[in-house]
Amino acid sequence: MSKAGDWRNYKRVLLPPVKDLHRLDVYEANEGYRALREVLTTDKWTPTSVTDEVKKSGLKGRGGAGFPTGLKWSFMPPVNPDVPRFLCCNGDESEPGTFKDRQLLEYNPHLVFEGILIACYAMTIRKAFLYVRGEFADWISLMEAELEKAYAKGYVGQNIMGSGFSCDIVIHKGAGAYICGEESSLMNSLEGKRAYPRIKPPFPAQKGVWGYPTTINNVETLACAPLIIRNGGEWYAGIGAPTHAGPVLYGISGHVNRPGVYEYPTGMLITDLINEVAGGMRGGKKLKALIPGGSSTPILRADMIDGVTMDADSLRAAGSMMGTSGMLIMDEDTDIVSWLRRITHFYHHESCGQCTPCREGTGWLENIVTRIDEGEGNLRDLDLLIDLCSQMEGRTVCALADAAAWPVRYTIDRFRSEFEAKCKPSLVASGLEMATV
Amino acid sequence: MADFIKHPVVELPERKPEPVIPADQLHFSEDEKKQIQTWISRYPTADGAVMRALWLAQEKFSFLPPEVIQLVADELGMPYAKAYGVATFYTQYFKEKKGKYVLDVCTCFSCQLCGGFDMLHYLEEKLGVHKGETTADGVFTVQEAECLGACGSAPMLQITNGTYVHHLTKDKIDALVDALREDKVPAFTSVTLPQDEDEMGGNRRTDVAATESYGVCPVSETTR
């Protein structure tokens, strides 16, 4: 059962259908910065009440982990005027299959700025960093121009709207490293170090960038904040799946007729998303498998998605995760082994090299999967891979090793026969063993 | 032991290779220095501006040999080793000289399943180089890129850390290579959201030169 209600008549809120909404004047004419004005200039709102409203909305992080945002905000220690605090907005979108934040940054950048400012107010932060991956150079220039306009109009900077609240936004341009999407390595990257993840604890709220209290949220997560203030937490909680509320940008790619980024409520049936939203399978082929939210989320076979909806609970029950909701759809002709080989190559390339299990493990995953894909593998390589995954999961500073191991583990688990078919026939199966004895 | 240090198993990079940038060109202009100071002022410490400063240096010198990294480090007052560590960590900083145009073809899985490798191999064949190599005339470098975050418009490539070219086909690559030989870099292309097409009849932005719609991706011939 879909939890998205009447999604066919859904009115978009993150990317509402307004021409040139990315321009400040158009954004202003469409309720832009109204939520910020309300928060800063009316007595209704205090930092605590903003956080409470976000808690009430049930907003969960859209970056992959799905952590409740209001709760994360409340982890910040009490305000001490001598200790600076920071907000980082994570726009390092690098998870293969994910391309939603870029659309938000292109088509509605001021919503992101407004969300950043509201979050800063809620946590009494005076400086925010918007970390965008270096590949998005064109979009960074666009955003910088828009940010300058917002500065000129007094929406960002000193004494915003005469409220006495000041906050700066700095756009930080990355330079191509998947690992920077991990919050602690994003912090190291901001500080001008190699982007090695840090051991947690201490968590960013205690010791973040430059050792000061820091909160890190995804672009899409922060873009929800102005909507929650404008319409109330209860309104937001009423959208989509009850336990995972809100609008979501679904990035659908792969073998569908109409790939792209779609905004719909959470809790959409996967079958609806493929067959109705994305126009069905390319060339009328049959669905073979899909990943629901970026390369790290476990693959689902076509027979596993009956009644499964795009929210954390339903996907967990089906044996996968919500992730970034960047869905990759694969048709019946897809070679799963080659596909997995490319994923292992990706993680091998992107491992930062700090922890041995990940640095070496990702390389061996690639080597062994490549061997199988080239037809040189043995059946026992499959068990070797699973064993290797067990040696990697949970044994490193950050979750990249887990993210690299899961696709291998679950793809072998769910498509074992395809891997076996590419392996050299075993002596037992071919009857050769008896013959040689 | 000492012998091992003198003759390491893994060859170490030369500590002080011959500089490739002539000494008289190896400096930032006053404007550039001012720009770097602006970036520094936005971070609690000067180190925070190192990534921006390296970007600036790369745009100026086209790549980052050790002497350029030293220049950046001096400008920010940070140790050379730290700046070198940053420059070598990120894939978009070029440590060696590349072609005038670097073509990063994405082959990560969405592109892989939609013909990314077909495009990469076609480009390799067309230009007569393998991935990672530069053409003899120094105009093109072909690289295989990890996910560039444009999975819906696969297959795609990026031109020298800048413009994205979506929905690649062999014809499009031919046209692109010809255009780049004449130094015509394609304009920024905005990819229209499918819902915008339905509700607004096209791209929502009126200020972009080129737009493109999401469409059915091609069938891939090879996936490796």
Side-chain angles (χ1 to χ4, degrees), chain A residues 20 103 106-107 133 144 172, chain B residues 43 52 147 190-191 206 214:
Chain A
D20 286 328
Q103 316 281 349
E106 176 177 355
Y107 291 127
R133 68 182 294 192
E144 281 182 333
H172 186 96
Chain B
Y43 295 88
R52 281 287 186 157
C147 188
S190 177
V191 184
T206 55
Y214 284 115

Side-chain angles (χ1 to χ4, degrees), chain A residues 12 16 19-20 22 102-103 106-107 127 133 135 144 172 174-176 189 194 210 253 255 263 282 342, chain B residues 42-43 45 52 55 85 90-92 107 110 113 147 149 158 190-191 195-196 203-204 206-207 214 218:
Chain A
R12 290 183 286 161
K19 284 264 182 201
D20 286 328
H22 64 286
R102 182 167 57 82
Q103 316 281 349
E106 176 177 355
Y107 291 127
K127 181 155 253 173
R133 68 182 294 192
E135 285 88 342
E144 281 182 333
H172 186 96
S189 181
R194 294 170 79 86
W210 288 278
S253 63
H255 301 150
E263 184 191 328
R282 180 185 69 187
R342 188 64 186 78
Chain B
R42 292 177 186 168
Y43 295 88
T45 63
R52 281 287 186 157
W55 271 116
Y90 300 93
T91 43
Q92 285 191 293
T107 60
S110 291
L113 296 185
C147 188
Q158 183 177 28
S190 177
V191 184
Q195 281 167 306
D196 282 358
N203 197 285
R204 59 169 66 213
T206 55
D207 57 351
Y214 284 115

Side-chain angles (χ1 to χ4, degrees), chain A residues 20 73 87 153 168 234-235 248 258 323 376 421-422 427:
Chain A
D20 286 328
W73 290 5
L87 178 81
K153 276 252 179 168
D168 281 312
E234 271 164 37
W235 164 84
V248 170
R258 217 176 170 204
E376 295 295 321
K422 275 211 174 182
L427 296 176

Side-chain angles (χ1 to χ4, degrees), chain A residues 157-337:
Chain A
Q158 295 299 310
N159 191 15
I160 301 169
M161 299 172 191
S163 63
F165 174 72
S166 305
C167 186
D168 281 312
I169 297 177
V170 178
I171 296 177
H172 186 96
K173 185 180 179 186
Y178 169 71
I179 193 66
C180 291
E182 203 277 337
E183 57 178 17
S184 62
S185 70
L186 184 148
M187 297 193 296
N188 274 346
S189 181
L190 269 181
E191 290 180 24
K193 299 175 182 161
R194 294 170 79 86
Y196 282 153
R198 303 177 187 171
I199 289 179
K200 288 182 267 187
F203 290 96
Q206 274 76 48
K207 257 178 172 294
V209 270
W210 288 278
Y212 298 120
T214 305
T215 295
I216 297 148
N217 284 125
N218 177 259
V219 167
E220 195 188 336
T221 314
L222 288 174
C224 287
L227 307 174
I228 293 168
I229 299 298
R230 270 185 224 165
N231 305 300
E234 271 164 37
W235 164 84
Y236 191 91
I239 301 174
T243 52
H244 198 139
V248 170
L249 297 175
Y250 295 100
I252 305 177
S253 63
H255 301 150
V256 288
N257 281 324
R258 217 176 170 204
V261 171
Y262 294 87
E263 184 191 328
Y264 279 110
T266 54
M268 291 278 287
L269 276 172
I270 291 178
T271 44
D272 279 352
L273 281 169
I274 298 173
N275 297 324
E276 307 210 16
V277 172
M281 299 297 292
R282 180 185 69 187
K285 297 266 185 187
K286 276 207 294 228
L287 175 72
K288 178 175 191 171
L290 67 95
I291 50 154
S295 58
S296 317
T297 54
I299 190 167
L300 291 170
R301 269 195 324 263
D303 60 320
M304 298 167 82
I305 61 162
D306 281 342
V308 177
T309 54
M310 286 297 285
D311 58 271
D313 294 341
S314 179
L315 283 167
R316 195 179 306 118
S320 191
M321 286 153 69
M322 178 82 171
T324 59
S325 66
M327 303 167 74
L328 174 71
I329 315 293
M330 291 173 266
D331 71 14
E332 54 193 320
D333 298 337
T334 310
D335 184 339
I336 291 288
V337 183

